[in-house]
Amino acid sequence: MLCVFGGVVQAAPLVKIENCTLVPTEWADGDSFRIHIPEKLADGDKKGWNAREITVRLYGADCVESAIRNATDGRRVRAQRRYFGISKKGSSRESIELALSYGKKATEQTRQLLANPFTVYTSFADGRGDPKFKRVYAFVVTADGKDLAAELVRLGLARAFGVERMTPEGQPAKDYAAYLDDLELQAAKRGAGVWQHTDWQRLPDERQAQREEEREDRIGMGKDPQVVAVNKAAKDELMAIPGIGEVTANRIIAGRPYRRSTDLLKVPGIGKKTLEKIQPFLTFPVE
C-alpha cells in the first residue's frame, strides 16, 4: 500500500511476523532465503500475501553470491570482488572461486543464525529475484535479538550495500545505513571474513574500475534506454536511469506500489522536470 502523509510518500508500515523458520533451499544466499510463516497472514494484513511461505531479501546488506547461474550473477560477483578488493587475487578463476566460497560461508552463517524461530519485519516491497519466487525486502531479527544484516556485515560476510528504509525501532534509514557502514569499517580493520584477503594497494583502482563500468552502462542506457517496471525494478536498475541516484532509488522502492506516473511526484526529490526525464524509462500498471 502507498501511504501518503501531507502529500509526501512514506514507506508502507512494517508488518511484524514472529516465530518464522528457515525453509532449506539449494538456491538461497546469505541475504536472500525462503521462510515459513507459522500462521497465514490475514487478508487484511496484505492482500495477496495470505501465504505460509515467502522469500525475503535483507535490507541494507549484500552477501557475495554463492553461485553464478547466469550473466547477471556474473556481473554481480565481479562488482562484489572489486568492492572487497579481491578481483586481482590470483587468476580470475581463483578470485571468483574465493568470492563464491565466502558466499557459501555467508549462506551457512545465516542458516546457523536462523536455526531457531526468528522475527521478520516487512512492508512487502518487491525485492526482485528468481521469477519463480517473488522476494520482499525485510529486516530479520534472530532468536537472540540480533539484526541479521548487521551481523553478516560485522562478520565480514556482507557489504553494507542495498535498499534502505526506517527500521522497526524507528531509526531513520540513513542512520541505519551509517551504522552498517561503521560495522563494515570495523570488520575491514579486523580482517574479518572476505576482508582478510583484501589487496589494500589495489582496492582504489578496483573500485574505480567498477565505477567506470557502471558509468559506461549509464551512458549506454541514455543512448539505448531500457524500460523497467517501476514496481519491480531493482535498485541498480533504477539507478541506471538518468536522473535517479541512490537516495531517489531508495525512496522510490520504499513508496511502492505506484499506479501511474504522477504518483512519483509524491516521492521527495522528484518534481515535474525530473518526472518528465525519467518517465520514458518506466512503465506503470495503468498506463
Side-chain angles (χ1 to χ4, degrees):
M1 178 181 293
L2 182 62
C3 299
V4 182
F5 297 94
V8 176
V9 170
Q10 305 288 338
L14 291 168
V15 175
K16 182 179 182 180
I17 311 174
E18 299 181 286
N19 296 314
C20 297
T21 53
L22 192 65
V23 177
T25 60
E26 294 182 356
W27 51 262
D29 287 325
D31 57 29
S32 180
F33 40 85
R34 192 82 170 160
I35 68 169
H36 180 270
I37 298 171
E39 296 182 4
K40 289 186 178 181
L41 299 179
D43 290 338
D45 289 337
K46 185 70 178 181
K47 185 176 181 181
W49 284 101
N50 54 334
R52 295 302 294 270
E53 291 186 2
I54 61 174
T55 300
V56 300
R57 169 72 169 89
L58 294 179
Y59 280 115
D62 178 51
C63 296
V64 180
E65 303 300 305
S66 58
I68 297 178
R69 305 173 183 84
N70 50 51
T72 298
D73 287 344
R75 289 193 296 271
R76 187 173 294 115
V77 170
R78 181 169 60 241
Q80 292 163 340
R81 288 161 52 217
R82 287 170 172 171
Y83 185 91
F84 284 105
I86 64 170
S87 70
K88 302 300 181 181
K89 299 293 286 189
S91 65
S92 294
R93 179 180 295 276
E94 291 171 332
S95 172
I96 292 171
E97 290 177 348
L98 175 63
L100 296 180
S101 73
Y102 276 95
K104 293 180 175 66
K105 289 179 181 179
T107 301
E108 181 56 33
Q109 186 65 54
T110 290
R111 288 174 181 167
Q112 293 178 19
L113 290 169
L114 301 184
N116 295 315
F118 51 89
T119 301
V120 169
Y121 296 87
T122 181
S123 63
F124 302 94
D126 195 322
R128 296 299 299 274
D130 191 320
K132 297 179 181 178
F133 302 103
K134 181 178 180 181
R135 298 193 306 179
V136 297
Y137 284 109
F139 293 100
V140 175
V141 179
T142 65
D144 56 354
K146 295 178 180 178
D147 178 89
L148 179 59
E151 190 66 7
L152 291 169
V153 172
R154 185 186 70 80
L155 293 171
L157 297 175
R159 55 178 176 164
F161 179 88
V163 172
E164 306 144 6
R165 66 152 289 156
M166 181 179 290
T167 69
E169 296 78 22
Q171 183 181 30
K174 65 178 182 180
D175 290 352
Y176 179 66
Y179 171 64
L180 294 179
D181 284 339
D182 291 342
L183 290 178
E184 181 182 281
L185 184 62
Q186 289 182 328
K189 183 178 180 180
R190 295 195 315 272
V194 191
W195 295 109
Q196 66 184 288
H197 303 284
T198 300
D199 186 331
W200 293 104
Q201 292 298 318
R202 290 181 170 178
L203 178 66
D205 290 337
E206 291 193 54
R207 290 191 174 183
Q208 180 60 29
Q210 184 62 29
R211 287 191 290 269
E212 290 176 356
E213 187 172 293
E214 291 173 354
R215 187 177 301 113
E216 289 179 359
D217 288 343
R218 291 190 178 94
I219 291 174
M221 287 288 291
K223 294 179 179 178
D224 184 17
Q226 177 181 344
V227 178
V228 297
V230 68
N231 290 326
K232 294 184 178 296
K235 179 178 176 179
D236 56 350
E237 291 177 310
L238 291 171
M239 289 176 62
I241 296 174
I244 297 181
E246 183 173 9
V247 173
T248 302
N250 280 328
R251 289 172 175 171
I252 290 173
I253 291 171
R256 288 170 174 169
Y258 305 95
R259 298 192 66 240
R260 51 180 58 85
S261 59
T262 52
D263 287 343
L264 285 176
L265 292 173
K266 298 168 184 175
V267 175
I270 296 183
K272 291 183 178 179
K273 290 185 178 180
T274 299
L275 180 59
E276 290 177 359
K277 184 177 181 180
I278 67 177
Q279 187 172 347
F281 301 94
L282 300 170
T283 60
F284 297 79
V286 297
E287 295 185 342

